[in-house]
Amino acid sequence: MLKDSKTKLYVNGKWQEGNSYYDLKSPYSGEIIARVPLATPEEVEEALASADRGKEVIKKMTSLERAKILEKASHIFEQRLEECAEILTQENAKPIKAAKGEILRTIETYRFAAEEAKRIHGETIPMDAAVSGRGWFAYTRREPLGVIAAITPFNFPFNLVAHKLGPAIAAGNSVVLKPANQTPLSALLTAEIFEEAGLPPGVLNVVTGRGSVIGDVLVRDTRVKMVTFTGSLEVGLSINAKAGLKKVTLELGSNSGLIVDSTYDLDSVVSRCIEGSFAYAGQVCISIQRIYVQQDLYEEFVSKFVERTKKLVMGDPREENTDVSAMIHMDEATRIEKWVEEAMNSNAEILSGGKREGALFEPTIITKGSSELSVNSKEAFAPIVTINPYNEWDEAIEMVNDSSYGLQAGVFTNSMDKAFDATDRIEVGGVMVNDIPSFRVDQMPYGGVKNSGMGKEGIKYSVEEMTNLKMVGFKVN
Ligand code: NAD
C-alpha cells in the first residue's frame, strides 16, 4: 500500500470518507496499492452543490489571485516531482522516466494556465461598420461558465487533469473532477496540492469511482454548464447524447498515421517513430499506429525499425531503464492479442513481437495487412504499429485519410510542396511536418476532427471553450 496518499473524496475543501471502497491494483504487479472510495450518486450530488457554491467564490477572485494560485500549484508540483512520478508509475504502470516527463509537463501546463489567467480579454467591436451601427460603442468580455464537470482518462492522469483544471481556474470556474477509476491517486494528489496552494473550498471537488455509475449524474445535472471529457469514442458519444444544452468538449482517440516520404537522416526518423509507436505501451491518444513509407526507403526503414524495437527493455515500470511496461489491464492485453491473431490469420506478416505475458504485450510490428484489419482500422491503444510501403504521394495521403479518426498526423519529407500539400489535404486536427503525430506541447491548440472529437484544448484554447463571450453595447449618441 502507498503510504501518505490521500484516498478520500475531496468535497467542499474537506477530505471525506466514502460509503464504500474499491481496491486499486498495480497493473504491473497486481499488488493492492490503495483503497479508494467508490462515490455514490448522492456523494456526487454533494460535490455538485459544493461546486455550485464554489463558482461564486472563484468569480469574486481577481485574475491575479487566480494566477498566483496556479503558479504556486505549479511550484509545489516541482517540489513534489519525485513523489508524483512514483504514484503515477504505481497506478498506471508508466515507466518511471516517462512518468517524470509527464510531471515536468504538468508543471509547465499549470504555469501556462497561470499566465493565461492574466490575459483573458475581449475586444472592441466596430459597430459603425454597419449602416445602423452609427453612434454605438461596443465590446466583448469573457465570463466564466460556472460549474464544469471534468472527466479524465487513465493514460496521462496528471497532465490531462491539468489541461482541465488549469484553464478552468484561470477562467474563473469551479470544477467537479472525475478521474479514471484506474488512476484516482494522481487526481487526489492534485487536489491536495491545490489545497496547499490556497484554492478556496468548493472550487475544486474530486469524486472517485466508476464512470458508469456516477457519470450520468455529472453529465445530466443542469448546474453543470460544461462537460470537458477526454477518453474513448464510445463514452464520448454517450456523454454528448445526455448532456442536453450544456457545452461539451470531447478529446477522443485515434489511429494516427505517419508518412515517411524522404529524409536526410533516416536513423533519427526511425528513433522518433519508435518513440511515437511504443511510448507508454502505445497507450497515447496520438500514438503512431500506421506508418506509410516511400517504396525506395521502405526496406532500410523497416530493417532499422525492427532491429531497434527488439532492443526496447520490457519490465518493471519502477526501473529506470524500462521502456515498455504493462498495459493498464490484462483485458486490454488480451484484446490486442486477439487483434494480432486476426492479422496473422489474414495475409499479414508480423515482423517483431506479438506475444503477451500477463498484461505485458511485446512491442509489435505488422506489415502487409489489409486496411480493414482491426490493427489498421480501429484505435489500438497498445504497443502495436503497422508499416506499409507506398509508391505514389497521393496514395500515401489517401491511406492516412482512410480512417474514421482524425487527431494528428505526421509527415517526414524534404519537399516543401509535399509538406504544404499534406497540411492541406490530411483530415486531422494537427499536422506535424518532419516529426511524428505524437508530438505535442501543452500550449498549442489540440483536438481532433471526425471521430477524434470536438472542441480544442491547449490552455488559451481551453479558456476560450470555458468562457462565455458576452457582447456589451452602449448607444452613445
Ligand atoms: P474511457 O472512455 O474508458 O474513460 C474515460 C473517463 O470516462 C474515465 O474517467 C471513466 O471513468 C469515465 N466514464 C466511463 N463511463 C462513463 C459514463 N458512462 N459517463 C461518464 N463518464 C464515464 O477512456 P480511458 O480508457 O480512460 O482512456 C483511453 C481513451 O482516451 C482512448 O480512446 C484515448 O485515445 C483517449 N484519449 C484521448 C486523448 C485526447 O486528448 N484526444 C488523450 C488521452 C486519451
Side-chain angles (χ1 to χ4, degrees):
M1 288 271 224
L2 277 180
K3 290 196 191 80
D4 302 328
S5 64
K6 285 215 167 75
T7 55
K8 294 184 176 159
L9 302 169
Y10 183 63
V11 177
N12 199 23
K14 296 196 177 62
W15 295 93
Q16 72 187 45
E17 296 289 347
N19 280 311
S20 63
Y21 284 77
Y22 68 101
D23 288 337
L24 182 70
K25 292 184 183 161
S26 151
Y28 175 72
S29 64
E31 281 169 74
I32 296 173
I33 317 168
R35 294 186 67 241
V36 181
L38 264 180
T40 58
E42 293 71 29
E43 285 160 339
V44 177
E45 176 60 38
E46 275 180 57
L48 284 165
S50 160
D52 204 42
R53 292 188 297 272
K55 79 172 188 226
E56 300 302 333
V57 176
I58 191 165
K59 207 173 161 185
K60 292 197 182 82
M61 290 168 72
T62 65
S63 48
L64 181 60
E65 285 167 338
R66 301 196 305 272
K68 279 187 173 164
I69 287 172
L70 287 160
E71 182 60 43
K72 186 155 183 209
S74 172
H75 185 62
I76 301 170
F77 270 106
E78 215 161 17
Q79 290 170 330
R80 298 177 71 173
L81 188 151
E82 297 289 331
E83 178 197 354
C84 291
E86 189 196 325
I87 282 186
L88 179 47
T89 294
Q90 296 256 17
E91 67 177 356
N92 82 354
K94 182 167 288 186
I96 188 71
K97 60 188 171 194
K100 286 179 189 162
E102 179 175 339
I103 307 306
L104 287 172
R105 279 181 64 183
T106 305
I107 293 164
E108 213 175 38
T109 302
Y110 284 119
R111 199 156 287 147
F112 283 131
E115 290 162 4
E116 203 55 43
K118 297 183 199 166
R119 52 185 178 228
I120 299 170
H121 57 78
E123 59 184 2
T124 53
I125 308 296
M127 301 291 276
D128 62 0
V131 177
S132 56
R134 180 186 285 271
W136 279 83
F137 166 66
Y139 61 91
T140 57
R141 40 179 286 163
R142 288 206 165 266
E143 295 184 337
L145 298 176
V147 179
I148 293 183
I151 304 179
T152 51
F154 73 82
N155 63 338
F156 286 84
F158 277 106
N159 198 35
L160 292 181
V161 164
H163 268 281
K164 312 236 176 268
L165 194 52
I169 293 173
N173 296 292
S174 64
V175 175
V176 178
L177 168 65
K178 210 239 45 89
N181 54 299
Q182 303 94 331
T183 53
L185 302 181
S186 36
L188 294 168
L189 183 49
T190 297
E192 194 182 312
I193 286 174
F194 271 92
E195 186 180 39
E196 195 184 328
L199 190 69
V203 176
L204 169 64
N205 306 272
V206 185
V207 287
T208 53
R210 306 228 175 276
S212 51
V213 177
I214 56 174
D216 273 14
V217 185
L218 285 173
V219 170
R220 290 187 191 274
D221 195 285
T222 50
R223 285 166 294 185
V224 172
K225 299 301 173 212
M226 175 186 190
V227 180
T228 168
F229 172 77
T230 302
S232 62
L233 171 63
E234 188 192 9
V235 176
L237 285 172
S238 99
I239 286 176
N240 200 36
K242 292 171 190 162
L245 273 185
K246 52 181 75 71
K247 242 182 168 177
V248 177
T249 55
L250 303 174
E251 301 293 336
L252 311 176
S254 79
N255 56 357
S256 299
L258 166 73
I259 300 174
V260 182
D261 172 68
S262 50
T263 172
Y264 297 115
D265 185 358
L266 191 63
D267 282 309
S268 72
V269 172
V270 170
S271 296
R272 289 296 288 149
C273 290
I274 288 176
E275 169 73 20
S277 304
F278 303 127
Y280 187 41
Q283 298 168 119
V284 178
C285 48
I286 35 180
S287 189
I288 310 174
Q289 195 172 323
R290 300 169 296 133
I291 305 181
Y292 304 106
V293 187
Q294 215 291 325
Q295 183 69 63
D296 297 344
L297 284 179
Y298 181 72
E299 294 300 330
E300 195 182 350
F301 179 90
V302 168
S303 117
K304 285 179 192 278
F305 196 100
V306 170
E307 184 198 323
R308 287 198 219 159
T309 298
K310 287 188 168 152
K311 290 190 182 138
L312 292 174
V313 177
M314 285 181 76
D316 190 330
R318 291 164 293 192
E319 300 290 336
E320 282 287 341
N321 66 340
T322 295
D323 297 306
V324 180
S325 189
M327 293 183 65
I328 194 68
H329 197 274
M330 173 104 89
D331 293 350
E332 286 295 290
T334 51
R335 169 180 62 82
I336 282 306
E337 194 173 31
K338 290 198 184 91
W339 288 18
V340 170
E341 267 168 41
E342 178 202 38
M344 283 166 80
N345 293 336
S346 76
N347 56 352
E349 203 178 299
I350 306 222
L351 299 173
S352 183
K355 297 209 179 59
R356 179 181 70 81
E357 199 188 315
L360 279 161
F361 202 86
E362 285 180 340
T364 299
I365 308 166
I366 297 179
T367 188
K368 294 187 186 147
S370 81
S371 60
E372 281 86 46
L373 284 177
S374 301
V375 287
N376 280 319
S377 61
K378 298 182 189 165
E379 177 184 36
F381 222 57
I384 192 159
V385 66
T386 65
I387 311 181
N388 287 294
Y390 70 87
N391 286 306
E392 300 300 324
W393 172 249
D394 283 352
E395 198 190 335
I397 298 278
E398 274 163 32
M399 290 196 290
V400 168
N401 280 341
D402 183 16
S403 169
S404 58
Y405 292 104
L407 194 46
Q408 295 207 141
V411 185
F412 286 95
T413 181
N414 295 331
S415 155
M416 283 296 272
D417 284 351
K418 284 179 180 165
F420 280 110
D421 189 52
T423 62
D424 194 31
R425 288 165 66 200
I426 299 182
E427 298 155 358
V428 287
V431 179
M432 301 298 133
V433 176
N434 288 334
D435 209 351
I436 50 180
S438 337
F439 181 79
R440 180 184 186 186
V441 286
D442 293 287
Q443 80 281 28
M444 73 184 216
Y446 182 79
V449 297
K450 300 188 201 165
N451 281 346
S452 292
M454 57 186 198
K456 290 284 175 202
E457 288 199 339
I459 303 303
K460 174 181 169 215
Y461 307 94
S462 301
V463 163
E464 282 174 11
E465 303 275 9
M466 292 176 172
T467 48
N468 178 34
L469 189 70
K470 185 186 263 179
M471 160 74 197
V472 180
F474 288 75
K475 179 85 170 79
V476 184
N477 53 48

